[in-house]
Amino acid sequence: KQEVTQIPAALSVPEGENLVLNCSFTDSAIYNLQWFRQDPGKGLTSLLLIQSSQREQTSGRLNASLDKSSGRSTLYIAASQPGDSATYLCAVWDGGTSYGKLTFGQGTILTVHP
Amino acid sequence: ETGVTQTPRHLVMGMTNKKSLKCEQHLGHNAMYWYKQSAKKPLELMFVYNFKEQTENNSVPSRFSPECPNSSHLFLHLHTLQPEDSALYLCASSQEHGSNYGYTFGSGTRLTVV
């Protein structure tokens, strides 16, 4: 059974810092990995999707890497801003089925203070 | 608004009530999902529908009854719920694996059972 772990559980940083969120998964037979952002009481917003054949994806100040063989992914946020404060969720799309089946980590709660 | 719309946004119901959650996707995806998000727990997959056929029921109690009349609409019928069923219920859609777009989530329905 796939298990996804995110470290740290919570992170508080001053504005302007670069930061790294970590995600690890136990079964490397995945189709892709997706990072999401969730604001309090809201749904999930997709940030980046990395296919299993890719090593990284970038969108603006965000960069996500994937090391499938070691079961790890990192989300790098450059020049953090208070608006980045949210919960960040990592999810892996397990292989073996034609439809997707996402397994989520528990998330990292990020607070960026002015 | 994302391409996945959920209604209602908030719902308070008694344990003897019957209610339904609705989800609609405008993305042309062929798979739809119900996830449950409880406090301090990772998102849990409840049901998967692929081309209108239920392909997974993740040991969900029978007081939750899904319905997928077509590939664009998904319902979750609720009856005789328990207070521990209070949670954020999220609907999502996707294409089959290999998609470059991953999952798209709705904004969720915040359910409170009293």
Side-chain angles (χ1 to χ4, degrees):
Chain A
K1 179 184 176 185
Q2 179 75 268
E3 293 183 1
V4 179
T5 303
Q6 290 187 244
I7 296 173
L11 184 61
S12 181
V13 300
E15 182 176 6
E17 274 205 6
N18 301 324
L19 53 97
V20 175
L21 308 182
N22 297 290
C23 172
S24 62
F25 46 95
T26 55
D27 185 347
S28 62
I30 64 171
Y31 280 124
N32 58 43
L33 183 144
Q34 197 165 357
W35 282 94
F36 294 91
R37 168 188 172 136
Q38 186 175 31
D39 293 294
K42 300 294 178 67
L44 276 63
T45 300
S46 180
L47 297 174
L48 290 165
L49 171 70
I50 311 176
Q51 302 284 357
S52 60
S53 59
Q54 298 174 322
R55 299 284 297 194
E56 66 177 341
Q57 284 286 338
T58 298
S59 176
R61 295 181 293 108
L62 304 180
N63 176 276
S65 67
L66 174 64
D67 184 343
K68 187 180 169 184
S69 61
S70 67
R72 294 181 181 179
S73 176
T74 60
L75 178 66
Y76 176 83
I77 303 177
S80 59
Q81 303 171 356
D84 295 330
S85 299
T87 297
Y88 289 79
L89 295 162
C90 167
V92 296
W93 180 317
D94 286 324
T97 57
S98 61
Y99 57 87
K101 179 181 176 181
L102 285 183
T103 302
F104 283 85
Q106 289 194 290
T108 294
I109 302 172
L110 174 64
T111 304
V112 181
H113 47 87
Chain B
E1 279 292 346
T2 66
V4 178
T5 304
Q6 288 187 243
T7 55
R9 296 294 297 271
H10 301 273
L11 178 62
V12 179
M13 59 185 290
M15 290 188 286
T16 58
N17 291 158
K18 291 183 179 181
K19 297 287 184 182
S20 296
L21 310 184
K22 179 182 176 181
C23 177
E24 183 175 0
Q25 60 101 356
H26 313 278
L27 301 168
H29 289 168
N30 48 39
M32 297 187 75
Y33 314 82
W34 281 114
Y35 277 83
K36 175 183 178 181
Q37 187 177 36
S38 304
K40 300 182 180 180
K41 292 177 69 174
L43 274 84
E44 302 172 75
L45 177 66
M46 299 176 72
F47 300 105
V48 180
Y49 277 83
N50 190 32
F51 290 104
K52 302 186 301 177
E53 298 297 321
Q54 183 176 316
T55 52
E56 184 141 354
N57 174 337
N58 202 25
S59 302
V60 180
S62 60
R63 57 186 184 269
F64 295 91
S65 175
E67 178 189 2
C68 188
N70 55 62
S71 58
S72 298
H73 294 85
L74 185 64
F75 296 89
L76 188 63
H77 304 299
L78 315 171
H79 63 97
T80 60
L81 294 191
Q82 304 299 311
E84 59 264 29
D85 297 322
S86 298
L88 181 66
Y89 289 85
L90 291 161
C91 174
S93 69
S94 76
Q95 290 285 33
E96 293 184 328
H97 69 76
S99 164
N100 290 325
Y101 303 104
Y103 270 52
T104 301
F105 278 83
S107 298
T109 294
R110 172 67 63 184
L111 173 67
T112 303
V113 181
V114 298

